[in-house]
Amino acid sequence: MRTLIKNARVIDPASGHDAPGDLWLEDGKVLEITPAGARAAQKNDAVIDAAGAVVAPGLVDLHVHLREPGEEYKETIASGTRAAAAGGVTSVACMPNTHPPIDNLATVEMVLSKAKQQGVVNVYPIACITKGRKGEELAEMGELQAAGVKAVSDDGEPVASPMLMRSALQYAGMLDLLVINHAEEKSLTGNGVAHAGFMAAKLGLSGVPRSGLEIMIARDLLLAEETGCRLHIPHVSTAGAVRMIREAKARGVKVTAETAPHYLALTDECLATYDTNVRVNPPVPEASDQAALIAGLQDGTLDAIATDHAPHSRREKEMEFALAAPGISGLETSLSLVLTTLVATGKMSLLEALRRMTANPAAILKIPKGTLAPGADADVVIFNPEAERVIQAKEFVSQSNNTPFDQWQVKGRVLATLVAGQVVFFDPAFEGKIRKV
Ligand code: DOR
Ligand code: ZN
């Protein structure tokens, strides 16, 4: 079975390709990119007319909470992967802070088998660093890796003990397994619910100081440097963190880092409404931090943009700010927020922005994704980067619509998403462009 996606602007950050052309897929793999109209479709080929649209590798999101097992009222593997597809995301790495946590072989296998049966995008389960995410004893990393795990994290909770974190890096390092440590020093962050700045003080919200996050990042960078092991820092939100990661990279420390679209789109000014959808961990800091994050993305200090998609039900958000669960349902807004905040503003080219959502996260996870190279899996997003749209939280495919971006006017509309050559999402208005010859 062959598919032609024609008349597109084809962008493949992995090879630096950005030109008008046609993308050919065959039997679930990328066949080739040809100049527009170079070859005509044959009988039985499927043809997608992508005139005016960008065709790129499907997005790879290395930080997603799918909530299954245990919190299926927030999200399931079925609903979360459909939300991913709607957002142009074709591969997700899902965090293990489920109930039970993903810290053993049986749970990994359960997630993988559900993903195979009910998921519409590729799912890479991240397993726990420590048993039960308790920070006491390392999980069986070798066994977890043999089951297909690419990374370990106790996300939501830091590995508090420096000694245990050092061992985790060493064990994982021997296996070439990625360690992602939630960077938070609880004695400093305490019961803080917002960035400790002018806004939190004015509104009477307890604060999270930047040092509460940065002390843990500093510690982990020291441990990664000393052990020579690979470390990934999730949801980087502050200027100081960007500076330390930049310096560590310059010294050759094997560190990679991600930030999230909400830190690019919001500052702590947004706390003024007390909208609990703004409550996220780490909290949204100030404009000076946002500028540093953008500079970090521009110079490669920050490798990836990942959503930290954290669905929560209305029950957990409709309450006073300090009691609401932290997190933002992000899969269906990430591409638009990146296009609006980075690309439309001229801060980053479309190719470079997409690199941080495709080839870079795939390289961090060491998965063969995020490229349109011939022979690669035919995971593709087709989107209009210029389309203006108003975000409608109530229309989210995700089971949860906890977003601070409802009613925001943004750029970018996903027209279709393909996984292994199969259409897993299409915008109803785009349906007529998909046909058989
Ligand atoms: O805002 C957050 N929500 N940050 C985390 O680290 C965990 C996540 C969740 O699981 O809801
Ligand atoms: Zn997370």
Side-chain angles (χ1 to χ4, degrees):
M1 151 88 176
R2 213 160 52 163
T3 303
L4 164 63
I5 305 173
K6 66 177 189 181
N7 300 326
R9 173 181 170 191
V10 184
I11 303 183
D12 184 20
S15 66
H17 182 99
D18 182 355
D22 296 342
L23 175 68
W24 294 82
L25 313 174
E26 189 168 49
D27 298 332
K29 303 283 181 191
V30 174
L31 195 58
E32 61 178 334
I33 299 167
T34 56
R39 261 195 358 247
Q42 305 292 307
K43 196 168 155 34
N44 292 330
D45 287 350
V47 178
I48 300 176
D49 185 356
V54 167
V55 170
L59 307 181
V60 177
D61 193 333
L62 71 102
H63 191 147
V64 165
H65 297 267
L66 291 180
R67 304 298 191 210
E68 191 171 357
E71 290 180 318
E72 290 82 355
Y73 66 98
K74 299 184 189 200
E75 196 80 285
T76 61
I77 290 167
S79 68
T81 57
R82 279 191 289 110
V89 176
T90 54
S91 293
V92 297
C94 62
M95 283 293 176
N97 61 336
T98 50
H99 303 279
I102 308 175
D103 67 352
N104 63 76
L105 196 57
T107 315
V108 171
E109 282 173 351
M110 189 282 269
V111 170
L112 284 172
S113 107
K114 278 236 166 154
K116 202 166 172 193
Q117 289 160 26
Q118 299 168 12
V120 298
V121 305
N122 309 294
V123 174
Y124 294 91
I126 296 172
C128 300
I129 300 174
T130 67
K131 289 183 183 162
R133 299 172 61 243
K134 293 201 177 101
E136 291 165 2
E137 193 186 345
L138 294 182
E140 297 290 347
M141 292 187 191
E143 193 173 274
L144 294 162
Q145 186 185 39
V149 165
K150 308 289 179 198
V152 287
S153 177
D154 283 356
D155 188 52
E157 287 293 328
V159 177
S161 154
M163 199 274 287
L164 198 61
M165 183 61 188
R166 193 171 185 279
S167 304
L169 284 165
Q170 287 178 317
Y171 273 98
M174 281 189 290
L175 301 164
D176 198 21
L177 195 58
L178 183 69
V179 179
I180 307 174
N181 188 31
H182 179 100
E184 194 180 327
E185 167 51 52
K186 294 273 182 157
S187 66
L188 283 167
T189 59
N191 50 12
V193 295
H195 166 68
F198 174 78
M199 286 303 289
K202 181 172 147 189
L203 299 170
L205 296 171
S206 52
V208 171
R210 291 188 185 89
S211 59
L213 312 168
E214 291 170 1
I215 276 183
M216 193 57 95
I217 294 173
R219 181 202 79 174
D220 288 349
L221 289 170
L222 285 174
L223 294 173
E225 183 161 17
E226 184 177 65
T227 59
C229 298
R230 216 149 58 94
L231 167 73
H232 179 74
I233 303 177
H235 39 55
V236 172
S237 60
T238 66
V242 175
R243 179 175 43 77
M244 288 189 290
I245 296 164
R246 183 179 289 122
E247 288 167 3
K249 283 191 167 185
R251 288 199 306 278
V253 180
K254 288 190 214 153
V255 59
T256 54
E258 79 197 26
T259 189
H262 42 265
Y263 303 119
L264 305 175
L266 300 172
T267 67
D268 65 349
E269 294 286 328
C270 67
L271 291 166
T273 60
Y274 286 103
D275 177 3
T276 58
N277 287 315
V278 172
R279 179 145 192 235
V280 64
N281 192 22
V284 172
E286 299 172 32
S288 54
D289 298 286
Q290 189 179 77
L293 294 174
I294 293 169
L297 283 167
Q298 287 168 333
D299 74 4
T301 300
L302 302 178
D303 305 84
I305 301 171
T307 57
D308 195 4
H309 176 76
H312 291 292
S313 72
R314 289 174 63 134
R315 193 159 58 76
E316 289 143 325
K317 285 291 192 182
E318 286 184 351
M319 57 181 71
E320 86 179 67
F321 193 90
L323 300 177
I328 293 173
S329 178
L331 281 167
E332 291 165 79
T333 54
S334 76
L335 180 58
S336 281
L337 291 177
V338 167
L339 292 171
T340 307
T341 61
L342 294 182
V343 181
T345 54
K347 288 174 179 153
M348 202 172 273
S349 70
L350 183 51
L351 181 135
E352 287 303 325
L354 288 173
R355 187 192 300 285
R356 285 146 185 78
M357 304 176 90
T358 57
N360 284 5
I364 292 168
L365 288 170
K366 299 200 175 188
I367 56 173
K369 295 288 182 184
T371 172
L372 296 177
D377 293 334
D379 298 348
V380 178
V381 59
I382 306 173
F383 66 97
N384 182 341
E386 297 300 333
E388 298 278 345
R389 70 177 178 115
V390 176
I391 292 172
Q392 302 289 351
K394 65 178 187 317
E395 287 169 15
F396 272 9
V397 174
S398 167
Q399 224 163 271
S400 297
N401 50 15
N402 51 304
T403 176
F405 304 113
D406 190 30
Q407 304 306 317
W408 275 40
Q409 167 107 22
V410 290
K411 277 185 174 284
R413 182 182 290 278
V414 175
L415 303 175
T417 307
L418 287 78
V419 172
Q422 301 293 316
V423 176
V424 292
F425 168 82
F426 59 84
D427 181 328
F430 189 67
E431 192 183 1
K433 306 266 187 184
I434 305 176
R435 64 189 173 83
K436 273 247 158 66
V437 170

